[in-house]
Amino acid sequence: MKTIPIRWGVAAAVLTLATACGSGTAATTASAPPASRVTSCGLPLTIQAPPRRAVAMEQNAAEIMLTLGLAGRMAGTAYQTDPVLPELAEPYAEVPVLAEHYPGREALLAGKPDFVYSMRASAFAPEAAGSRQDLARLGVPAYLSSNDCEDRSLIPATAEFEAIFKEIDDIATVFGVRERGQAVVADLRRRLEAAGRSAPADLDADVMWYYSGTETPAIAGDTGLPGTITRLLGARNAFADVEQQWPEGNWEEIAARDPDVIVLADLTRGGDGDSAEDKKRFLREDPVASRLTAVRNDRFVVVPGSSVDPSIRSVTAVEQVGQGLARLYSEKESS
């Protein structure tokens, strides 16, 4: 979830891919499909042929590609943070894993990629794959999600679902499966509309999203996806005045705001306060946190950690939180 800050200007560049790697024969002018053009975090990308050896730099990027049916065009993936979606587990298992976290430049290039896709800027840090501009000079186009651009001024003020849908469309366009992408987005839109009605009407609740950590917890500010989901469901973000995606909080300030509900991100990486059960245990035992209204009343909603940043899972997070709020507040009314 956290990224390594990278601050540089994004140069205007056009990336070209002259051949379809791994096809065994050169593409002819007559049979070559039209080039696809997308813009990623201010960087124009022109891709002459649908990639055949793409690398997804983390699980969320891989799951978008697999949802689009692109397993056969993937040369690698990395950085798995949660169990893969059940419906994608079989194709995911066939994709080579290049590294436990982000692959370095040598490990990445050893897979002879013709396209790299990441949803986090930290994938293109010097100690990881290196900058997208450097990859461009090697003839490898690299797409980065608008939620985490290298140039922070290019990141939208809030994380909106329309940006997720556009990203899915961009990736589908690059791979020449745009109709498939449109079908995926149409289904997500339908589910999102229904999920937005799942929370109780006239909901009066302050919600805190708790991602990780115990001594210095990472909580959701107003500009990330949790803020968008909270507004969509008619609740209030307890930290709506904080203009960061995931600021580090402290328990005294959290106690002062005293949220009615806490959404717990369930992470499987094994760190301090990562799993939902670890978070609950800490909250119930800590002398400050245990006095919170949400903790005393056992008002928790659990979502997978990978669903709290923009991804193919984001609509599921709306569904889960909406259903959780409905359950908690129907219980409150009946008690």
Side-chain angles (χ1 to χ4, degrees):
M1 179 278 297
K2 291 184 177 294
T3 61
I4 300 169
I6 308 172
R7 303 181 184 277
W8 51 54
V10 178
V14 176
L15 309 182
T16 60
L17 184 62
T19 62
C21 298
S23 63
T25 59
T28 65
T29 303
S31 61
S36 58
R37 294 178 175 83
V38 296
T39 298
S40 168
C41 286
L43 188 66
L45 307 178
T46 298
I47 300 158
Q48 298 293 1
R52 294 184 178 276
R53 295 192 57 79
V55 171
M57 294 292 277
E58 68 276 301
Q59 181 177 343
N60 281 346
E63 289 188 346
I64 285 179
M65 291 188 65
L66 294 173
T67 299
L68 292 170
L70 300 173
R73 309 226 212 142
M74 296 178 68
T77 188
Y79 219 137
Q80 181 179 348
T81 54
D82 289 301
V84 176
L85 289 169
E87 64 270 26
L88 301 178
E90 186 174 343
Y92 186 91
E94 299 300 317
V95 180
V97 176
L98 303 184
E100 181 179 0
H101 296 297
Y102 289 126
R105 173 69 64 85
E106 290 186 8
L108 174 66
L109 296 180
K112 298 181 180 179
D114 55 10
F115 183 78
V116 177
Y117 172 30
S118 178
M119 303 187 80
R120 308 304 305 179
S122 48
F124 301 112
E127 62 270 28
S131 75
R132 294 195 296 146
Q133 289 84 351
D134 286 347
L135 289 171
R137 285 188 279 272
L138 297 173
V140 182
Y143 186 100
L144 175 60
S145 170
S146 65
N147 183 63
D148 198 38
C149 296
E150 303 103 332
D151 181 348
R152 315 306 284 178
S153 70
L154 295 177
I155 299 175
T158 56
E160 301 296 336
F161 281 90
E162 286 304 317
I164 301 173
F165 300 155
K166 181 183 182 301
E167 183 164 332
I168 294 169
D169 181 70
D170 281 350
I171 297 303
T173 298
V174 164
F175 284 85
V177 293
R178 194 170 188 191
E179 287 187 5
R180 199 177 304 166
Q182 291 170 340
V184 169
V185 168
D187 181 62
L188 290 173
R189 286 186 188 279
R190 177 189 57 76
R191 290 172 52 200
L192 180 62
E193 183 178 350
R197 301 190 297 266
S198 60
D202 301 320
L203 180 63
D204 183 17
D206 291 317
V207 177
M208 184 184 84
W209 294 67
Y210 177 12
Y211 186 81
S212 65
T214 51
E215 291 187 12
T216 54
I219 51 140
D222 191 51
T223 58
L225 185 68
T228 301
I229 293 175
T230 305
R231 287 190 294 273
L232 181 67
L233 293 171
R236 297 181 298 271
N237 181 357
F239 286 83
D241 59 323
V242 179
E243 294 184 356
Q244 294 172 261
Q245 290 190 20
W246 292 102
E248 289 186 342
N250 66 77
W251 292 108
E252 289 72 20
E253 176 64 19
I254 292 170
R257 300 188 183 217
D258 195 20
D260 300 300
V261 177
I262 300 178
V263 178
L264 305 174
D266 192 18
L267 303 167
T268 60
R269 62 191 183 185
D272 176 40
D274 272 353
S275 75
E277 289 307 311
D278 283 349
K279 290 182 178 71
K280 288 180 182 179
R281 187 179 306 111
F282 168 79
L283 290 168
R284 288 164 176 158
E285 294 175 356
D286 182 78
V288 176
S290 61
R291 297 200 298 270
L292 296 174
T293 296
V295 177
R296 289 188 290 105
N297 291 293
D298 201 32
R299 291 195 199 132
F300 300 118
V301 178
V302 177
V303 297
S306 55
S307 70
V308 299
D309 281 324
S311 71
I312 202 73
R313 298 173 177 239
S314 298
V315 171
T316 302
V318 182
E319 293 168 336
Q320 291 173 328
V321 176
Q323 291 163 6
L325 290 172
R327 171 181 55 79
L328 291 173
Y329 280 81
S330 63
E331 289 175 359
K332 177 183 176 183
E333 292 172 1
S334 62
S335 60

PDB file of all heavy atoms in Angstrom, residues 15 50 63 118-119 148 151 176 255 282 298 317 324:
ATOM      1  N   LEU A  15       6.361   5.837 -26.789  1.00  0.00           N
ATOM      2  CA  LEU A  15       6.996   4.546 -26.715  1.00  0.00           C
ATOM      3  C   LEU A  15       6.468   3.692 -27.845  1.00  0.00           C
ATOM      4  O   LEU A  15       5.273   3.622 -28.065  1.00  0.00           O
ATOM      5  CB  LEU A  15       6.676   3.879 -25.368  1.00  0.00           C
ATOM      6  CG  LEU A  15       6.942   4.735 -24.120  1.00  0.00           C
ATOM      7  CD1 LEU A  15       6.626   3.934 -22.878  1.00  0.00           C
ATOM      8  CD2 LEU A  15       8.368   5.209 -24.096  1.00  0.00           C
ATOM      9  N   PRO A  50      -0.436  -5.623 -30.046  1.00  0.00           N
ATOM     10  CA  PRO A  50      -0.832  -6.094 -28.712  1.00  0.00           C
ATOM     11  C   PRO A  50       0.296  -6.889 -28.062  1.00  0.00           C
ATOM     12  O   PRO A  50       0.872  -7.788 -28.676  1.00  0.00           O
ATOM     13  CB  PRO A  50      -2.043  -6.984 -28.998  1.00  0.00           C
ATOM     14  CG  PRO A  50      -2.610  -6.434 -30.272  1.00  0.00           C
ATOM     15  CD  PRO A  50      -1.424  -6.012 -31.078  1.00  0.00           C
ATOM     16  N   GLU A  63      -4.554  -9.124 -11.528  1.00  0.00           N
ATOM     17  CA  GLU A  63      -5.959  -9.526 -11.494  1.00  0.00           C
ATOM     18  C   GLU A  63      -6.788  -8.798 -12.550  1.00  0.00           C
ATOM     19  O   GLU A  63      -7.738  -9.376 -13.091  1.00  0.00           O
ATOM     20  CB  GLU A  63      -6.533  -9.316 -10.094  1.00  0.00           C
ATOM     21  CG  GLU A  63      -5.979 -10.318  -9.094  1.00  0.00           C
ATOM     22  CD  GLU A  63      -6.641 -10.281  -7.737  1.00  0.00           C
ATOM     23  OE1 GLU A  63      -7.364  -9.296  -7.447  1.00  0.00           O
ATOM     24  OE2 GLU A  63      -6.451 -11.223  -6.959  1.00  0.00           O
ATOM     25  N   SER A 118       1.884  -1.542 -13.806  1.00  0.00           N
ATOM     26  CA  SER A 118       1.877  -1.465 -12.345  1.00  0.00           C
ATOM     27  C   SER A 118       0.840  -0.465 -11.881  1.00  0.00           C
ATOM     28  O   SER A 118       0.552   0.521 -12.559  1.00  0.00           O
ATOM     29  CB  SER A 118       3.248  -1.042 -11.811  1.00  0.00           C
ATOM     30  OG  SER A 118       3.198  -0.932 -10.387  1.00  0.00           O
ATOM     31  N   MET A 119       0.300  -0.711 -10.696  1.00  0.00           N
ATOM     32  CA  MET A 119      -0.639   0.220 -10.085  1.00  0.00           C
ATOM     33  C   MET A 119       0.042   1.045  -8.998  1.00  0.00           C
ATOM     34  O   MET A 119      -0.602   1.882  -8.357  1.00  0.00           O
ATOM     35  CB  MET A 119      -1.848  -0.535  -9.525  1.00  0.00           C
ATOM     36  CG  MET A 119      -2.561  -1.354 -10.601  1.00  0.00           C
ATOM     37  SD  MET A 119      -4.101  -2.123 -10.074  1.00  0.00           S
ATOM     38  CE  MET A 119      -5.237  -0.744 -10.185  1.00  0.00           C
ATOM     39  N   ASP A 148      -1.447   6.636  -8.536  1.00  0.00           N
ATOM     40  CA  ASP A 148      -0.145   6.717  -7.866  1.00  0.00           C
ATOM     41  C   ASP A 148       0.939   7.177  -8.833  1.00  0.00           C
ATOM     42  O   ASP A 148       2.000   6.557  -8.920  1.00  0.00           O
ATOM     43  CB  ASP A 148       0.203   5.350  -7.253  1.00  0.00           C
ATOM     44  CG  ASP A 148       1.283   5.466  -6.190  1.00  0.00           C
ATOM     45  OD1 ASP A 148       1.260   6.448  -5.431  1.00  0.00           O
ATOM     46  OD2 ASP A 148       2.150   4.570  -6.121  1.00  0.00           O
ATOM     47  N   ASP A 151       4.735  11.791 -10.643  1.00  0.00           N
ATOM     48  CA  ASP A 151       4.517  13.212 -10.403  1.00  0.00           C
ATOM     49  C   ASP A 151       3.220  13.330  -9.604  1.00  0.00           C
ATOM     50  O   ASP A 151       2.126  13.176 -10.135  1.00  0.00           O
ATOM     51  CB  ASP A 151       4.413  13.950 -11.744  1.00  0.00           C
ATOM     52  CG  ASP A 151       4.205  15.452 -11.576  1.00  0.00           C
ATOM     53  OD1 ASP A 151       3.911  15.898 -10.448  1.00  0.00           O
ATOM     54  OD2 ASP A 151       4.338  16.177 -12.587  1.00  0.00           O
ATOM     55  N   GLY A 176      -5.871  -5.148 -27.357  1.00  0.00           N
ATOM     56  CA  GLY A 176      -6.775  -5.447 -28.463  1.00  0.00           C
ATOM     57  C   GLY A 176      -8.012  -6.217 -28.072  1.00  0.00           C
ATOM     58  O   GLY A 176      -8.583  -6.943 -28.891  1.00  0.00           O
ATOM     59  N   ALA A 255      -8.940   8.551  19.358  1.00  0.00           N
ATOM     60  CA  ALA A 255      -9.866   8.538  20.496  1.00  0.00           C
ATOM     61  C   ALA A 255     -10.678   9.822  20.551  1.00  0.00           C
ATOM     62  O   ALA A 255     -11.870   9.802  20.897  1.00  0.00           O
ATOM     63  CB  ALA A 255      -9.092   8.339  21.796  1.00  0.00           C
ATOM     64  N   PHE A 282      -5.474  -6.238  19.108  1.00  0.00           N
ATOM     65  CA  PHE A 282      -4.816  -5.030  19.603  1.00  0.00           C
ATOM     66  C   PHE A 282      -5.843  -4.020  20.106  1.00  0.00           C
ATOM     67  O   PHE A 282      -5.693  -3.441  21.190  1.00  0.00           O
ATOM     68  CB  PHE A 282      -3.971  -4.403  18.489  1.00  0.00           C
ATOM     69  CG  PHE A 282      -3.498  -3.017  18.828  1.00  0.00           C
ATOM     70  CD1 PHE A 282      -2.417  -2.824  19.660  1.00  0.00           C
ATOM     71  CD2 PHE A 282      -4.180  -1.899  18.344  1.00  0.00           C
ATOM     72  CE1 PHE A 282      -2.006  -1.545  20.016  1.00  0.00           C
ATOM     73  CE2 PHE A 282      -3.780  -0.621  18.681  1.00  0.00           C
ATOM     74  CZ  PHE A 282      -2.685  -0.436  19.515  1.00  0.00           C
ATOM     75  N   ASP A 298     -18.206  -3.514  19.358  1.00  0.00           N
ATOM     76  CA  ASP A 298     -17.843  -4.567  18.400  1.00  0.00           C
ATOM     77  C   ASP A 298     -18.349  -4.243  16.988  1.00  0.00           C
ATOM     78  O   ASP A 298     -18.852  -5.106  16.275  1.00  0.00           O
ATOM     79  CB  ASP A 298     -18.411  -5.920  18.854  1.00  0.00           C
ATOM     80  CG  ASP A 298     -17.660  -7.089  18.221  1.00  0.00           C
ATOM     81  OD1 ASP A 298     -16.445  -6.949  17.972  1.00  0.00           O
ATOM     82  OD2 ASP A 298     -18.285  -8.125  17.954  1.00  0.00           O
ATOM     83  N   ALA A 317     -15.451  -4.187  -2.416  1.00  0.00           N
ATOM     84  CA  ALA A 317     -15.285  -3.487  -1.141  1.00  0.00           C
ATOM     85  C   ALA A 317     -16.516  -2.655  -0.812  1.00  0.00           C
ATOM     86  O   ALA A 317     -16.959  -2.603   0.350  1.00  0.00           O
ATOM     87  CB  ALA A 317     -14.045  -2.598  -1.188  1.00  0.00           C
ATOM     88  N   GLY A 324     -21.972  -4.701   5.573  1.00  0.00           N
ATOM     89  CA  GLY A 324     -21.548  -4.657   6.972  1.00  0.00           C
ATOM     90  C   GLY A 324     -22.245  -3.560   7.748  1.00  0.00           C
ATOM     91  O   GLY A 324     -22.686  -3.768   8.894  1.00  0.00           O
TER      92      GLY A 324
END
